[in-house]
Amino acid sequence: MKIYLNEISDLETKLSFTQENPWVIQAVCRVDELSEDSVQPFKIRPVHAHFSIRKVDEVYVVSGKLDTFIELVCSRCATPYKHDCHPHFSALFCKDPVLAGIAHLQRSGTDSRKTGKPVGQNQGHARHAHQEDDDDGILSESKDLDITYLSHEYIELSDVLTEQLQLQVPFQPLCQENCKGICSRCGTDLNKGLCACGKISNKTPFSLLKDYKV
């Protein structure tokens, strides 16, 4: 879903989308983790995406709220589960490479393939929103957000949606907080019950030494 920059003004524009929009489902499914037990992702799921778009000087501000779930694989029992996501987000974009913190590469010599060190006010480092003083206080409400440089004349909302969901993926996905995992010997899901490994004799070549006393 492309929003062209020439259509964005300083007046706030609100947009809402649901799972009825094909590009919304595609953007959500890109974040799903597919396991062997889930050949196909949850194609039918509720999705409510709300966007607010406006222009502040040379910066395009996209904020909103998302309500849906993604499919993750539990890191303990390898079972696919639904992870609810309800993020509130803000993203900043601009066409100015200096404002975005992308430094220009200084050419050296006559060969265009030779480049020198990055030049510019940020030396190639990403610029954060809180580094810019804003009299209206609009940018200051989105502290620590990078301004993304736009190399084209539009903002792709599906990429914004996918990125915000990727930020919701936990470092250690768990189907439940007290997940018991699987048996390291037989692979049984211990959340569904105990396995029979405890009843199997642990007889080894050294079993005779267990009762040996020194």
Side-chain angles (χ1 to χ4, degrees):
M1 178 64 181
K2 294 181 176 63
I3 302 297
Y4 288 90
L5 303 184
N6 59 3
E7 299 176 351
I8 303 176
S9 67
D10 56 350
L11 298 177
E12 183 180 35
T13 300
K14 294 185 178 181
L15 302 172
S16 296
F17 305 96
T18 67
Q19 67 277 5
E20 301 297 329
N21 303 98
W23 68 268
V24 173
I25 288 295
Q26 294 174 2
V28 175
C29 288
R30 286 202 295 259
V31 190
D32 287 341
E33 294 180 350
L34 301 182
S35 66
E36 296 179 355
D37 297 331
S38 57
V39 180
Q40 294 182 347
F42 295 101
K43 291 186 177 180
I44 300 177
R45 74 183 79 190
V47 181
H48 298 281
H50 305 281
F51 295 92
S52 174
I53 306 173
R54 56 180 170 169
K55 183 180 180 182
V56 181
D57 294 332
E58 299 303 320
V59 178
Y60 300 90
V61 182
V62 179
S63 58
K65 184 178 183 296
L66 178 62
D67 294 300
T68 186
F69 68 81
I70 55 178
E71 178 186 354
L72 300 180
V73 178
C74 181
S75 59
R76 290 182 184 173
C77 65
T79 301
Y81 73 97
K82 299 178 182 179
H83 181 74
D84 291 330
C85 299
H86 309 284
H88 292 260
F89 60 88
S90 292
L92 308 179
F93 303 87
C94 76
K95 289 286 294 179
D96 186 344
V98 177
L99 184 62
I102 301 178
H104 299 283
L105 294 177
Q106 186 178 21
R107 303 292 181 181
S108 60
T110 57
D111 190 348
S112 60
R113 292 175 298 178
K114 295 181 181 179
T115 58
K117 296 181 179 180
V119 296
Q121 64 179 8
N122 295 310
Q123 297 296 310
H125 297 289
R127 175 194 173 278
H128 294 286
H130 71 278
Q131 294 175 340
E132 180 73 10
D133 293 331
D134 183 48
D135 295 335
D136 297 331
I138 297 178
L139 294 184
S140 61
E141 67 186 18
S142 302
K143 292 183 178 181
D144 298 326
L145 287 178
D146 291 336
I147 296 182
T148 301
Y149 171 69
L150 293 173
S151 58
H152 33 66
E153 297 298 325
Y154 60 86
I155 297 174
E156 181 57 70
L157 292 186
S158 63
D159 292 340
V160 175
L161 195 154
T162 298
E163 180 181 10
Q164 296 305 319
L165 287 177
Q166 288 173 337
L167 295 174
Q168 298 299 306
V169 178
F171 178 75
Q172 185 181 25
L174 294 175
C175 60
Q176 53 185 336
E177 187 176 354
N178 58 344
C179 177
K180 298 178 181 179
I182 60 176
C183 175
S184 59
R185 175 177 293 182
C186 66
T188 298
D189 187 348
L190 299 179
N191 295 307
K192 299 179 180 179
L194 298 177
C195 62
C197 291
K199 300 179 181 180
I200 300 177
S201 174
N202 294 325
K203 189 175 182 179
T204 67
F206 300 97
S207 298
L208 296 176
L209 299 177
K210 67 178 182 179
D211 297 326
Y212 181 76
K213 297 182 180 180
V214 179

